[in-house]
Structure formats: C-alpha cells, structure tokens
Amino acid sequence: MTTPVLTPPVVDDDPYAEEHLIDRLPVQQRVREAGPVVYLSALDVYATGRYDVIREVLADWQHFHVGAGVGLANFHVEKPWRPPALPTEADPPVHDAPRRVLTEVLSTRVLRRLRSEWLAEAEQSVDQVLARGGVIDAMNELAAPFPLKVFPDAVGLPPERRRDLLAYGDLVFNAFGPQNALFEKSATRLTQLSAWVTTLCRRENLAPGGFGASIWEAADRGEITLEQAPLVVRSLVSAGIDTTVHGIAAILHAFATHPEQWQLLRKDPGLARRAFDEAVRWASPLQIVFHTTGDDPVEFLGTTIGPHQKMMLLIGAGNRDPRRWDAPNNFDLGRDPSGHVGFGMGLHQCVGQHVARLEAEVLLTALADRVEHLELAGTPERGYNNSLQTWNTLPVRLVPA
Amino acid sequence: MNTAVAAARAGLDTDATSIQVVGVEVVAEGVVAVTLADPTGRRLPPWTPGSHIDVILPNGLVRQYSLCGDRWDAYTYRIAVLRETAGSGGSEWIHTQLAEGQILGFGGPRNHFHLVPAERYLFIAGGIGITPLLPMIQQADRLKIPWKLLYGGRWRRSMAFADELTDARGHVDLVPENEFGRPDIADWVGDIEKGTRVYCCGPAGLLDAAERASANWLPHTLHTERFVNGAGRRADDRPFVVHLQRSGLDLPVAPGTSILDAMAQAGVGVLSSCRQGTCGTCEVAVLAGRPDHRDSMLSETDRDAGDCILVCVSRAHTSTLTLDA
Ligand code: FES
C-alpha cells in the first residue's frame, strides 16, 4: 500500500533576484504562506519559510546533511570552490571532533574572562564616536570597527587589514548563493583574499593565547588532526566576523527606528542580551542556509524528497512566522525571542553565538550608558549579499546623555 | 527507504528532563539492555560515541550509563546495565523492578570519553566496559578506519553484545578469563604506530594495566573511562526554591517545572534557545546553593565550580539556590 504523495506548491520567485536582496519580506512571505515545503522552480530546489519546519530540518541531522554544502552549490554534483568548511560543512562523524574543540575554545568560561576587556574597548569606541558629535554612519563607525577590533584580536590575528576580513566574509557568504555574474565579478578578489586568510590560519601567524592558538594546541593533543586545525581556525574568520557586524548593525538600526524601545533599554540595561536576540530574530543577519538529503529519499510532511536534494531554509521567514510569533514584524523588547532560528538550532547551531552575544551586549551596555536618544539621520542603504542581510550605510544621530 | 518523521511534533518548545523505558532485554548473563525514549515521542538530544547519561531512579539513586545504541536513531537511547549485587542498589533495582512504560529522570548526554580522529583504533574492553566502545566501533566502521578489539570478560555467556561484534568489520579478540586467563595488554597492543589511539574501558584493574602499558606509548595515545560505581549520589527531584538576588524574589520550583519556566512565570525572562541543555544560552550565575547539573554543555570544571547553571534543565541539590538574576 502506498500513501499518496503530495506535490509541493511551486513558487517561481528567485530569492536571489536583485530586488529581493534589497527587500526580502515579499519572497519570505510568499514562500512561507504557499506551504510548509515549496519547490522553487527558478533554482530547482525545495524551500521552507515555516518556523516549525525549519526547526525540524535543522534538528534532523540524520536526514538533512550539511556535507553537500550549506549554500546553493550541491557538492554531490559540483566541486566546491574551496575545501568545505569545518565543522560547518561536515556531518557526523567527521563533524564531532572539530565541533567539540571549537565549543571548548569559545566556551562561556573563556568568554567571561574577556568581558571586562571588551567592555572597556566598547566604552572607548562609543566615547570616540560621541566626541566626533552629531550624525555618524553607525555601520562604518560603530557596527564594523568594534567587532573588527575585539574578535580578531581574540583569535590572535594581526592588526593589519581588518577591513579585508570583512570583505572576505562578505564574499564567502555571497558565494553561498548562485554563481552568477555578481559572483564571477568578485571571484578573483575572493581567490586572493582566500589565499591570504589561509596564510593567517597557519600556526606561526596566530598570536599565543588566542582562540586560533588554542585550536592548534588541541591539534597537538590529537583532538583534531593537524590538517583540520587551519580549517577550524578559518571558520572563525569566515563565520565569526560579518555575521556579528551585521547583527550589531541590525540592532542599531532597530533602535534608531524604535526610539521607545531604546528608552526601555536605558531604563533596564539588563535587557541588552534579550534586545540583541530580538534584533537577530527581527532582522536575521543570516537569511539563507541549505541542508541536503542524503543517499536515500526522505518522507517529509507528506512529500517525498529525493536523494541529494537541496532544501533552502529561509531563516528570516521563519523568524517572522506568525504561527510562532505574535506581531512578528514588531521589534519589541517585551517579547521573549528565545527559540528564534537566527543562530540555527541543533547540532550545527552557531558555535560562536555566545561570542556574538557578548560583543553586542558590551556595546549596548556602553551605548545605553552614554546615549540619551538615537534616530535615523537619513535613508540607510542596504548592501547586496546573497545570504546576509546587510547595510552599506546607516546614518544615525546620537544624542549624548 | 529512510524515513524522516514528520515535523511539527507537539511540545517542540518544552524541556527534556525525563525519559521513558520502552524496552528491557536480557542480553547476557547478568546484563540487561534498556531502550529509552522521550515520553512525548520527541527526538532526544544528540550525542557522540563515548557519551553517558544520568539515569535517576524512582528511589532517588543516580546512575551513569554509557550510550551504546545507534546515534542515527534520533528517538531512542540504549544503555546496558550489569547486575552488581555488591553495589548500592541501582543495578539491582533495574534488574528486578524496571519495566516498560516507567518514566525515569535523566540528565545529559555528556561526553568525557571523546573519540578523537585516528588512523587506527585499538579498543580494549573489560566486561560491561564494552558499552561506550560499541558506538565507537560503529563509527570507525563508518569512516573505514581499521580497528581491533580486545574484549575480556569472566566467561563467554556474561559478555554482552559479543555476537553483534562478530559482524563488524574489524578484528575482534574475545577473551573469556575462565578459558584464556587475563590478557596481557602490552603484548596484545604490540608496537604503537603513530596515529594509533587506544580506547580502554572496564574495571579498575584493567585500566591500571593499560596505564602501565601506556608508559611506552606516544603521548595522548591512551584514552580511558573509569566507571565510578556505587558512589550513591542521590537526586533531589523534589521541590526547591530559587532565590533571585537582584529581583529579590523567592520562587518555588516544583518537580516537572524548570527553573527557566518558574522564572519566566515570575516575569524574570532568561534568554534560552535549545531548552535541552545543549546550547549554553540560558546560563545564569549561581551565588549560593549547589546546582544539580542535568545539561550536556558545561565542562567538568564548570560543574565542579558550581558557580553557573543552565536553567532550562538543571535543578538543585540544596533546598535553596541563589541566582544572580
Ligand atoms: S537553552 Fe540551551 S542550554 Fe538551556
């Protein structure tokens, strides 16, 4: 006896079309409302924008793999442009050891020791910006420089060319999308930056005592192999910088457009952590991630998904799914954003999420202490990135307390 | 065909601190294998080879058992329990009282016996010490890494899972003591090549012997796990009070309720994410009292320090727990 197999609804939007990269809401909504799982004809992949389905795919590592790439490229049929990321693009069992080492290197115990240093750094950054007075570009004067200082320092990277780290991450996240003209245009730069980052990840180029050196020490103890170590270090550089920068930009944008929420934070700076997670839910800096079925077909929600099929997860759509969130389009510190999928969920959940939270929390703490009011001082300009929701510029007026 | 179970299971967002017995089977003389599942049918927290869980018996005893099932099955755990008449009653209870349908408390999974990458594995098991090694062997097979196993026991019929192992790809030496005497570990291991890792689990005598033999091996070659049995730690799955220092609140936490929920109900929100003790988001500092850690995240150092707690799953050993919240 066979059960009838449902054909998923077809959606013909291309989420990577230019207009959708600037305003993602219409596509998010169409995919989410068309059905729990849809077929995107423009890209020949399945997709979902429903919160509970995204969580299910993320949790079900046994059937939905990352080893075929977390971008659109399907490593079953396409050669990856670089060695696959570790542990991000590895499934168990290969995933286990590198993931465990990273979890320990970035543990909250390690981060607690960094907090006072990072807070002092945040206070200094905010003071400098306020000293300049008036309108600032919050993207380029605050959201980018602060993480670009503290995080690479903690990894043990040299102080030079920090902006290139951001450019590298931008290209990497772009490359998770289609290899279109945009990608081709930047391919040369990506190859150059990639070669440079590979050099940075070597043991001799990492300062002692940093996250990078700790990863190499774990390799010396045999916890990961010597071949894995530079790839694990690389994951800090590719996944730990742009996401945080755009996460911080998202919260600055959220407060600049919701002054009443800023007053709530000023009254209770203890809300900083919640505020950041609410901004990550609301803006979803990482918008799109793919998982892929394995060698066998998967029965999923009444649909049979064939082997080696890509499933696009529209993270931003899930984080605004009205089935899960009341008034999902509101940025609201009164809400408990727990359970959002902005950092993923399950086995591959962002291993650096506590680092990102700490960076945002210290910066918000410093700002809440010193800034009476902030507001947009012009029209912010979105950046183009296939996978990330970014700002190019974010003109903001800061009124000192 | 591989079948994924449909999404949108009820209670996606509830906490995981109890587990239900769905199978009990005698697998060798004095050894029962117990299959466990989430009482509401949800996926269980993921684990890696070498992991164990805390099982909290209705009589309050807490026992740790290695997971020896298949991690590609997300819905059940398998443990194996040796009947120890000289123990403090945990295994005795399981052998005589445990039945299908019963619900037990649980904590973890946690792993202090990680399988690190290697070019070749040597596994050494004594008796019930075979349990953590079974998933490691499965994993080595999956990765096509050569391995061999030395498995000692009192006599053949007391050696659990021996038949499961004969189908595996590596080389298995079964050494019942009554037939062959005690194996000579150094002799069996021979010369250690670079890239070899030795995993050993079993009674203290065996581990001591392995440690003596390892004096001549390259550093980081030997990995062991000691079974601490009969420690008799008791769980406190009873109501307790969390005192929130900054908010000045005293909140009762009943069995079946998490600290996280109790705090949320009182309007003191703590950010959370996985609600399974696997992500670390809900960490809160502990100012006084002793936490009963049920999570998979905190290191041994953190657990011993007792100065932080993951409130989505963990509880209290003391009647009051003071939190920095
Ligand atoms: S919410 Fe993940 S450990 Fe508590």
Side-chain angles (χ1 to χ4, degrees), chain A residues 235-315:
Chain A
S235 74
L236 294 177
V237 183
S238 355
I241 295 175
D242 287 61
T243 46
T244 314
V245 165
H246 296 300
I248 289 176
I251 187 135
L252 295 176
H253 173 249
F255 278 127
T257 49
H258 296 75
E260 77 294 348
Q261 300 292 320
W262 180 252
Q263 293 314 318
L264 291 178
L265 180 73
R266 288 212 69 209
K267 253 188 247 125
D268 180 5
L271 285 171
R273 268 167 65 86
R274 174 188 289 211
F276 179 60
D277 268 60
E278 169 64 354
V280 171
R281 180 200 69 80
W282 186 66
S284 301
L286 177 58
Q287 283 279 323
I288 294 173
V289 167
F290 287 85
H291 284 224
T292 313
T293 53
D295 293 341
D296 298 301
V298 177
E299 271 312 304
F300 192 66
L301 298 168
T303 298
T304 303
I305 299 178
H308 302 171
Q309 292 294 308
K310 286 261 156 181
M311 170 78 78
M312 178 194 263
L313 307 178
L314 283 93
I315 301 295

Side-chain angles (χ1 to χ4, degrees), chain B residues 298-315:
Chain B
L298 294 182
S299 66
E300 276 306 89
T301 323
D302 284 332
R303 293 163 64 80
D304 292 346
D307 56 357
C308 59
I309 184 170
L310 299 182
V311 292
C312 64
V313 290
S314 294
R315 308 189 68 80

Side-chain angles (χ1 to χ4, degrees), chain B residues 247-276:
Chain B
S247 339
L249 294 171
D250 284 304
L251 309 175
V253 183
T257 312
S258 64
I259 301 177
L260 181 69
D261 284 337
M263 289 174 72
Q265 270 154 31
V268 187
V270 173
L271 199 64
S272 66
S273 179
C274 69
R275 299 179 71 113
Q276 283 192 317

Side-chain angles (χ1 to χ4, degrees), chain A residues 52 55-56 59-62 92-93 96 100 108-109 112 222-223 273-274 277 296-299 338-339 349 354 357, chain B residues 1-5 7-8 13 43 71-72 74 114 116-117 139 220 269 271-273 279-281 283 302 307:
Chain A
D52 58 350
R55 275 198 64 157
E56 178 64 18
D60 191 358
W61 61 265
Q62 286 91 343
D96 302 345
R100 178 190 151 240
T108 47
R109 183 154 299 265
R112 278 199 291 268
E223 294 171 21
R273 268 167 65 86
R274 174 188 289 211
D277 268 60
D296 298 301
V298 177
E299 271 312 304
S338 297
Q349 187 172 31
H354 308 309
R357 287 195 181 106
Chain B
M1 192 175 92
N2 237 339
T3 305
V5 178
D13 271 348
R43 190 175 275 117
R71 63 195 286 224
W72 267 263
H114 296 276
V116 300
Q139 189 127 314
H220 310 298
L271 199 64
S272 66
S273 179
C279 76
T281 303
E283 184 178 309
D302 284 332
D307 56 357

Side-chain angles (χ1 to χ4, degrees), chain A residues 8 30 33 57 83 144 208 211 223 261 293 296 331 335 363 368 374:
Chain A
R30 280 198 288 276
E33 299 313 318
V57 172
F211 299 150
E223 294 171 21
Q261 300 292 320
T293 53
D296 298 301
F331 169 75
R335 152 197 337 271
L363 189 62
L374 71 165

Side-chain angles (χ1 to χ4, degrees), chain A residues 4-121:
Chain A
V5 172
L6 304 176
T7 316
V10 178
V11 172
D12 56 16
D13 289 294
D14 175 2
Y16 297 116
E18 216 173 288
E19 71 269 25
H20 297 325
L21 297 183
I22 294 299
D23 180 7
R24 296 176 185 264
L25 287 177
V27 171
Q28 285 177 4
Q29 167 145 1
R30 280 198 288 276
V31 170
R32 185 177 60 224
E33 299 313 318
V37 173
V38 307
Y39 175 75
L40 289 183
S41 53
L43 299 169
D44 184 25
V45 296
Y46 293 95
T48 181
R50 297 263 174 103
Y51 174 81
D52 58 350
V53 182
I54 291 172
R55 275 198 64 157
E56 178 64 18
V57 172
L58 291 173
D60 191 358
W61 61 265
Q62 286 91 343
H63 296 94
F64 291 98
H65 302 169
V66 295
V70 292
L72 177 64
N74 188 338
F75 299 168
H76 288 293
V77 291
E78 285 167 72
K79 194 174 139 17
W81 66 270
R82 59 168 189 174
L86 252 191
T88 327
E89 291 180 318
D91 295 297
V94 177
H95 172 262
D96 302 345
R99 171 73 191 202
R100 178 190 151 240
V101 165
L102 261 189
T103 305
E104 269 169 33
V105 167
L106 303 177
S107 74
T108 47
R109 183 154 299 265
V110 172
L111 296 179
R112 278 199 291 268
R113 284 202 299 269
L114 284 170
R115 188 179 180 274
S116 56
E117 198 185 306
W118 285 12
L119 179 60
E121 199 68 59

